[in-house]
Amino acid sequence: MPRTRRHQGNCSPGCAVEATLQLIDGKWKGVILYHLLEGTLRFNEIRRRLTSVTQRMLTTQLRELESDGLIARKVYAQVPPKVEYSLTERGRSLKPVISALKAWGDLHAGSADDVEVAA
Amino acid sequence: MPRTRRHQGNCSPGCAVEATLQLIDGKWKGVILYHLLEGTLRFNEIRRRLTSVTQRMLTTQLRELESDGLIARKVYAQVPPKVEYSLTERGRSLKPVISALKAWGDLHAGSADDVEVAA
DNA sequence: CAGCATCCTCTCGGATACTG
DNA sequence: CAGTATCCGAGAGGATGCTG
C-alpha cells in the first residue's frame, strides 16, 4: 500500500485546496468524518450509517484516515473484538470544512436544475 | 460518457456531504473552481495556473463542471479561438466551501507530523 | 465483531497525435 | 488557441471467503 494517491507536485496557491481535498476524497472519507463528528463509533456502527459499503472499503478508508492523522483507532482486547474510532484534534479541526460541505449539499441538493429554473 | 461517476444511492444525513464532494473531487475540480473565484479565465490561463495538467484532463474536468452547472463556457467565434470560463451563480455559491478547504490547507499544511509533535 | 487475503472489474487519468 | 481521438497503465473499489 504505497499510500501515494494523487501526487501533489504543483503548489500554486490552489495547492492548499487540493491538499485538503486529498484527505476527504475517496468516496467514503467525507461521510465517515461527518458521522464521527457526532462522537466515537464502533466499526459496525459506522458501517450501518453508510449503507452499502463493504468491510474492505470501510477498513481501507479508515486506515487511510488514520494514517492521515484524522482519526484514532482504539482496540479493546476482548473476545468479541471491539474497536472504536474517534476524531483526533486534527480531525476535529476539519469540522468547518465538513460543515460547509454539508450545508451546501443541503441547500443545493439535487442536480443543476434549480439553477436553470432560477435563471 | 455516462456521466455516472459514483452512484449516490444511499441518502443518510451524510448524503449531503457526499453529494457536494462529488462535484469537487476529480483531482482538478477544486483547484479550477478556486482559480475561477478570482474571475473569468481562458482555457490556457487556467492551464498555466495548474502546472502539469494535460489538455485532455483539463477539458474533461471543465466539461464536468459545466454539466454540473458550476461554470459557464463562452466561446468567441474567432480565427484564433477564444473560450472563457467563469463561475455560474451555483458555482459562486460554492465559495464558502472552497474557502474552507483553502483555509484548512493553509493551516494544516504538510503531513500529519505536526499533530504528533503537538501531542 | 472486526478484520485480512485474494481476485477481478472498471474508471480515472496520463501520453501522444491530430484538427478547425 | 482550444480542443478531439485513441491508446494504455495504475489503482480505486467491489465480491467473496477465511480468521482470531
Side-chain angles (χ1 to χ4, degrees), chain A residues 6 42-44 56 59 63 73 81 85:
Chain A
R6 295 183 176 185
R42 296 182 55 177
F43 187 84
N44 276 338
R56 182 175 135 66
T59 304
R63 286 300 185 288
R73 178 166 176 268
Y85 292 91

Side-chain angles (χ1 to χ4, degrees), chain A residues 78-95:
Chain A
Q78 301 183 350
V79 179
K82 174 179 175 182
V83 181
E84 286 183 344
Y85 292 91
S86 57
L87 292 180
T88 60
E89 268 315 309
R90 182 182 171 87
R92 254 186 299 281
S93 73
L94 266 175
K95 179 162 184 170

Side-chain angles (χ1 to χ4, degrees), chain B residues 42-44 56 59 63 73 81 85:
Chain B
R42 296 182 56 176
F43 186 85
N44 275 339
R56 183 177 133 65
T59 304
R63 286 298 186 289
R73 177 168 177 268
Y85 292 91

Side-chain angles (χ1 to χ4, degrees), chain B residues 31-104:
Chain B
V31 202
I32 293 174
L33 290 172
Y34 173 75
H35 286 293
L36 283 180
L37 278 177
E38 301 169 5
T40 300
L41 290 175
R42 296 182 56 176
F43 186 85
N44 275 339
E45 289 178 329
I46 301 179
R47 196 178 169 191
R48 241 167 273 123
R49 279 166 175 72
L50 274 50
T51 36
S52 78
V53 66
T54 59
Q55 330 82 309
R56 183 177 133 65
M57 265 320 292
L58 185 51
T59 304
T60 307
Q61 303 281 289
L62 286 170
R63 286 298 186 289
E64 290 189 10
L65 287 170
E66 190 188 3
S67 78
D68 279 334
L70 297 178
I71 66 174
R73 177 168 177 268
K74 179 165 188 180
V75 185
Y76 294 83
Q78 302 182 349
V79 179
K82 174 179 175 182
V83 181
E84 286 184 343
Y85 292 91
S86 58
L87 292 180
T88 59
E89 269 314 308
R90 182 181 172 89
R92 255 186 298 281
S93 73
L94 266 175
K95 178 162 186 172
V97 177
I98 307 290
S99 299
L101 289 169
K102 174 78 162 66
W104 196 92

